[in-house]
Amino acid sequence: MSSASNRYEVELSEVAKKDLAKLEIKIQERIRLAFKVLSFHPRPPLAKKLKGRDGYRIRVGDYRIIYEVCDSQVLVLVIRIGHRKEIYKSR
């Protein structure tokens, strides 16, 4: 079991902060709970490695969290948050 000292810091990119702010409060709460899980388990069993780019994605209902894990910095960097129909489209 991980101790508190092994927790990863979860940091949001500026884009991810804006993505999160646009969502309904109930969805935001569920996504924040997922951040807490990522702080203890940055690569949970249901996380998928992204194809064609670095990073992972996890599902929160119909929403996806795209993130990278920086083990050397003990950091989870959230890159994007969005609905499954929109998240993979380029900006």
Side-chain angles (χ1 to χ4, degrees), residues 34-88:
F35 294 160
K36 189 170 284 195
V37 170
L38 288 175
S39 73
F40 288 99
H41 305 286
R43 295 176 189 90
L46 294 178
K48 298 272 191 217
K49 178 88 174 81
L50 296 176
K51 294 178 181 170
R53 64 186 271 197
D54 289 338
Y56 297 86
R57 72 120 169 107
I58 59 169
R59 294 173 48 189
V60 179
D62 284 340
Y63 291 83
R64 303 293 182 265
I65 300 172
I66 307 293
Y67 66 99
E68 293 178 358
V69 179
C70 305
D71 290 310
S72 61
Q73 297 174 287
V74 195
L75 175 72
V76 172
L77 176 61
V78 177
I79 300 165
R80 294 292 316 271
I81 302 164
H83 193 275
R84 64 185 175 85
K85 290 182 180 179
E86 302 293 326
I87 193 69
Y88 301 108

Side-chain angles (χ1 to χ4, degrees), residues 14-26:
E14 290 301 316
V15 173
K17 288 177 187 175
K18 289 177 186 175
D19 290 342
L20 185 62
K22 292 177 190 174
L23 301 176
E24 294 177 23
I25 297 297
K26 287 199 180 280

